[in-house]
């Protein structure tokens, strides 16, 4: 998040997303950050917002599966179709670490898809997922489309691909 909005504390933004349903203050802060301008232009020439930037970065995670071109924003369908594929850990699947359920997103829709995408990226940047990656070696794993029905052999033979998002400066 440091590269997206230099004036915003990434941990404060992460906390606002996590506590969104509990606090009007968290909601206000979340919307304030998401509507901030980044100082860049979109493909259409309009001013880019933090929301645009986050959805572009989320799209990078799934560009091959969703058929997105570099720089395309993930929409509600792309986020909803990929949310069930994210879990925390190694390449073996552990149902206790299913990302979407861990963070209480039973439904991904027009009202919350951008918040889910922001949560994933903020967590990778400064949340418990970031800490787990540094301290325990756990990472965000993009699994098969239906990981609950994978065989043990399929879980062990998943393709693991590293995605690095810059934290300062460069393009995401």
């Amino acid at each position: 998040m440091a590269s997206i909005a230099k004036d915003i504390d990434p941990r404060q933004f992460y906390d606002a997303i996590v506590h969104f349903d509990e606090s009007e203050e968290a909601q206000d802060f979340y919307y304030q950050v998401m509507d901030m301008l980044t100082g860049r232009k979109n493909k259409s020439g309009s001013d880019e917002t933090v929301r645009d930037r986050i959805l572009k970065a989320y799209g990078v995670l799934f560009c091959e599966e969703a058929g997105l071109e570099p720089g395309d924003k993930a929409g509600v369908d792309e986020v909803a179709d990929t949310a069930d594929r994210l879990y925390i850990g190694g390449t073996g699947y552990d149902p206790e670490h299913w990302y979407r359920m861990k963070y209480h997103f039973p439904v991904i829709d027009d009202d919350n898809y951008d918040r889910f995408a922001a949560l994933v990226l903020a967590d990778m940047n400064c949340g418990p997922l970031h800490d787990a990656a540094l301290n325990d070696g756990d990472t965000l794993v993009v699994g098969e489309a239906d990981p609950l029905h994978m065989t043990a052999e399929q879980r062990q033979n998943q393709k693991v691909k590293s995605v690095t998002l810059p934290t300062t400066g460069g393009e995401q």
Side-chain angles (χ1 to χ4, degrees):
M1 303 308 300
S3 64
I4 293 175
K6 294 180 176 123
D7 300 339
I8 300 300
D9 174 15
R11 184 62 194 204
Q12 186 181 5
F13 183 60
Y14 171 80
D15 289 341
I17 299 167
V18 170
H19 299 293
F20 184 88
D21 291 327
E22 304 159 16
S23 160
E24 282 187 35
E25 183 178 292
Q27 291 173 20
D28 291 344
F29 184 75
Y30 167 79
Y31 287 122
Q32 174 190 357
V33 171
M34 292 295 274
D35 292 335
M36 289 178 71
L37 299 177
T38 64
R40 297 179 180 178
K41 298 285 185 187
N42 283 322
K43 288 180 180 180
S44 65
S46 62
D47 291 328
E48 180 186 67
T49 64
V50 170
R51 176 178 284 103
D52 295 332
R53 191 97 171 120
I54 284 172
L55 292 172
K56 285 178 187 178
Y58 189 88
V60 168
L61 294 174
F62 298 103
C63 59
E64 291 177 13
E65 291 88 350
L68 297 173
E69 295 293 324
D72 286 350
K73 294 186 294 187
V76 65
D77 291 335
E78 289 84 12
V79 175
D81 291 346
T82 57
D84 289 342
R85 299 179 55 195
L86 300 176
Y87 55 95
I88 301 166
T91 57
Y93 181 71
D94 175 0
E96 294 298 312
H97 293 88
W98 191 20
Y99 195 89
R100 182 170 72 114
M101 290 294 106
K102 178 178 181 191
Y103 287 102
H104 311 292
F105 278 83
V107 174
I108 304 286
D109 58 20
D110 287 328
D111 293 331
N112 67 6
Y113 78 101
D114 54 349
R115 187 164 32 105
F116 180 80
L119 174 64
V120 171
L121 295 173
D123 198 356
M124 288 171 45
N125 188 46
C126 68
L129 181 57
H130 179 263
D131 297 341
L134 291 176
N135 300 326
D136 305 328
D138 287 343
T139 59
L140 186 67
V141 176
V142 179
E144 298 297 325
D146 192 4
L148 290 173
H149 297 99
M150 292 170 62
T151 66
E153 183 178 344
Q154 287 172 320
R155 286 192 299 272
Q156 293 304 317
N157 292 326
Q158 291 181 86
K159 292 185 249 174
V160 177
K161 188 179 350 177
S162 174
V163 175
T164 303
L165 299 175
T167 56
T168 58
E171 291 290 317
Q172 283 189 347

